[in-house]
Amino acid sequence: MTWQLIKDALRGKEQDFTSLPLKTAIFVLAIPMILEMMMESAFAVVDIFFVAKLGEHAIATVGLTESVVVLVYAMGFGISMAATALISRRFGEKEYAEAGAAAFQLLIVGGAISIVLGILGWTFAPDILGLMGAEATVIETGVNYTRIIFAGNTAIMLLFLLNGAFRGAGQAHHAMRSLWIANGLNIILDSILIFGIGNWAGYGLEGAAIATTFGRGIGVMYQLYHLFNGKHKLKILKENIVISWVIIKKIMQIAIGGMGQFLIDSVSWIALTRMNAEFGSASLAGFTIAFRILIFTLLPAWGLSGAASTLVGQNLGAKQPHRAEKAVWLTARYTVIFMASVTGIYLLFNKQLAGFFTDIPEVQSVAAQGLWVVALGYIFFAVGMVLTQAFNGAGDTKTPAWINIGVLWFIEIPLAYVLAFPLGMAHLGIFISIAFSHSFHSLISLYFFKKGKWKLMEL
């Protein structure tokens, strides 16, 4: 029975998640979502593994660029939330044609935003690195990497938002496969384009950016094929290829809260990265490595919690709010178990994990410290991720956004500054602030979730 469910999940057998037993529904949805996020986390780790061989300036460039490109991720995730909320609600109502119309409008919105961001990022790449506190050497060697990443942000944007649409439709296997294709190609191309092959010397750091952009571009082509081939319930037909300002307005209403969540989170992340830059490239490189390793477990947990988003949206669409709530608590239980199991690994083997990526003692020390400190809040993180996904699946993206403002801007940033500078704890103070603030964030989310207003959202 279990093996059959696994096969159904990976093959993409279409299910009615408003009537399937909840444990089975979570299982079927979570498997491809976890595998999807495992590949994303593998990409993050493999990418930094190769880049680390180019030295601490290259690592610092990646860290600084990502701290700004995360603004692109924020917008992509925001529109992705709108995609999941709208399409899961339409699937719960069995309005499949309307789901296809929404998918086309999502392409229009995401494409337009990404083109503007790409032009701005390419033009102002040196200024962006300078504002982030990059040393002159980092700007000189890293500006082309930053330009390529920004130029290719359309692939990032569309990959995120279309995967959100597939998850909302309960077709998480397409999201999984697109990310496996995108990141699998990136991992293969990374070493070739960075270090070359045979007599060809490769492109160095720029090769990492080219590999990422190409891999994700192919992943988007896979997504578009399955949206337009007409073989699945979520499909874009000829009659859907019309701009609908009503749907676009609805997308933006939901996406603004979603963008707000990640933009707020991103501004906080930029502030923390900027603070870390004050302690030099070695500290910044250790900070970057620590969070690439942490992402290896955070992203699969985020994938598991994604089951809550789809189940909340589809069951609210089917007028079953109590079933939606029960799905959230079950998903939270499983996510806590997963996060608790990996906490011990970071507490016991932080030095060995950091040492796998760099042999520079100072960088290794910072990375190891970041691993065990942040992991102390992992169990709380698990609950927070599931509750945030539940709010977003219901279309209530504004509540998590307001929580982010209160906790990240008014607690995390000031606390990190006080601990790092006046109290002289440097990067350790920043790590402590992250662990404490995100744990507190989970408790606030729990309070608002129990109030139940998310059940009343109309989309």
Side-chain angles (χ1 to χ4, degrees):
M1 180 64 178
T2 301
W3 178 241
Q4 185 59 48
L5 287 173
I6 293 173
K7 288 197 293 185
D8 288 346
L10 296 179
R11 290 175 179 172
K13 179 180 178 181
E14 297 195 74
Q15 309 272 7
D16 182 354
F17 292 103
T18 62
S19 60
L20 201 65
L22 276 178
K23 289 184 179 179
T24 302
I26 293 170
F27 189 77
V28 170
L29 281 170
I31 286 175
M33 289 183 185
I34 291 171
L35 291 174
E36 173 192 352
M37 290 296 104
M38 282 181 69
M39 177 53 80
E40 180 71 11
S41 61
F43 153 69
V45 172
V46 171
D47 204 44
I48 203 66
F49 175 79
F50 287 122
V51 169
K53 296 183 182 300
L54 299 175
E56 64 184 54
H57 292 305
I59 303 172
T61 298
V62 173
L64 291 173
T65 301
E66 284 195 347
S67 67
V68 180
V69 172
V70 78
L71 296 173
V72 177
Y73 295 165
M75 294 189 178
F77 274 122
I79 303 172
S80 175
M81 290 175 197
T84 300
L86 278 173
I87 290 177
S88 65
R89 191 68 67 95
R90 298 293 85 84
F91 264 64
E93 296 166 350
K94 306 298 188 287
E95 296 287 351
Y96 303 121
E98 290 187 24
F104 180 72
Q105 311 311 314
L106 287 161
L107 286 174
I108 298 296
V109 172
I113 292 174
S114 65
I115 289 171
V116 174
L117 290 174
I119 293 171
L120 292 174
W122 179 276
T123 305
F124 297 105
D127 306 280
I128 290 169
L129 290 173
L131 285 171
M132 289 303 298
E135 299 171 359
T137 306
V138 172
I139 296 175
E140 183 181 347
T141 60
V143 67
N144 288 334
Y145 172 88
T146 305
R147 280 181 168 148
I148 294 168
I149 289 294
F150 269 102
N153 88 92
T154 299
I156 297 172
M157 183 79 74
L158 294 184
L159 194 68
F160 284 163
L161 72 89
L162 290 178
N163 274 355
F166 284 128
R167 292 188 204 103
Q171 296 171 10
H173 64 291
H174 284 321
M176 174 193 72
R177 291 172 186 173
S178 65
L179 214 55
W180 274 68
I181 290 169
N183 291 339
L185 280 172
N186 176 74
I187 290 169
I188 293 169
L189 293 174
D190 247 349
S191 62
I192 298 173
L193 295 181
I194 292 173
F195 303 110
I197 187 171
N199 295 325
W200 179 54
Y203 295 114
L205 183 58
E206 289 89 346
I210 295 169
T212 295
T213 301
F214 180 80
R216 287 181 169 166
I218 297 299
V220 171
M221 296 300 293
Y222 170 87
Q223 293 173 319
L224 294 175
Y225 168 75
H226 283 285
L227 273 178
F228 285 95
N229 69 11
K231 296 180 180 179
H232 311 282
K233 288 182 181 178
L234 179 61
K235 54 192 173 186
I236 297 177
L237 303 174
K238 288 183 179 179
E239 53 267 32
N240 297 138
I241 306 177
V242 178
I243 293 178
S244 170
W245 294 108
V246 174
I247 298 177
I248 288 175
K249 181 181 178 182
K250 192 172 289 186
I251 288 170
M252 293 310 299
Q253 286 174 339
I254 301 170
I256 284 172
M259 289 179 193
Q261 289 176 45
F262 284 93
L263 285 172
I264 294 159
D265 201 353
S266 301
V267 169
S268 176
W269 185 253
I270 289 171
L272 297 177
T273 305
R274 182 65 183 85
M275 288 182 208
N276 230 325
E278 292 296 312
F279 306 112
S281 292
S283 178
L284 188 58
F287 185 81
T288 301
I289 287 174
F291 278 92
R292 282 297 186 101
I293 298 171
L294 288 165
I295 282 172
F296 190 73
T297 45
L298 283 171
L299 284 178
W302 187 255
L304 174 57
S305 65
S309 184
T310 299
L311 290 171
V312 165
Q314 291 204 13
N315 283 289
L316 288 182
K319 310 300 181 186
Q320 300 182 101
H322 295 298
R323 178 179 162 87
E325 183 173 5
K326 186 177 179 182
V328 173
W329 294 124
L330 273 174
T331 308
R333 181 192 302 172
Y334 301 145
T335 310
V336 165
I337 292 170
F338 171 76
M339 292 292 271
S341 68
V342 299
T343 297
I345 295 173
Y346 289 133
L347 294 179
L348 295 172
F349 302 108
N350 52 82
K351 292 180 181 178
Q352 291 88 338
L353 290 168
F356 181 74
F357 293 89
T358 179
D359 56 3
I360 303 172
E362 189 178 352
V363 176
Q364 190 179 116
S365 176
V366 173
Q369 191 175 66
L371 289 177
W372 74 260
V373 172
V374 175
L376 292 175
Y378 254 29
I379 292 176
F380 291 98
F381 290 14
V383 177
M385 283 189 286
V386 173
L387 296 181
T388 297
Q389 290 278 46
F391 284 125
N392 293 331
D396 180 11
T397 55
K398 292 181 180 178
T399 294
W402 284 112
I403 295 172
N404 279 4
I405 290 176
V407 176
L408 303 184
W409 284 6
F410 292 99
I411 296 177
E412 183 176 58
I413 295 175
L415 180 61
Y417 179 84
V418 170
L419 294 175
F421 298 102
L423 296 182
M425 298 176 71
H427 44 264
L428 174 60
I430 296 173
F431 290 134
I432 291 172
S433 177
I434 292 169
F436 172 79
S437 300
H438 284 270
S439 298
F440 186 66
H441 184 287
S442 299
L443 298 177
I444 299 297
S445 299
L446 182 61
Y447 169 77
F448 283 102
F449 181 79
K450 285 188 172 182
K451 293 186 76 171
K453 291 184 179 179
W454 57 274
K455 298 177 186 177
L456 307 177
M457 294 295 298
E458 295 289 339
L459 302 180

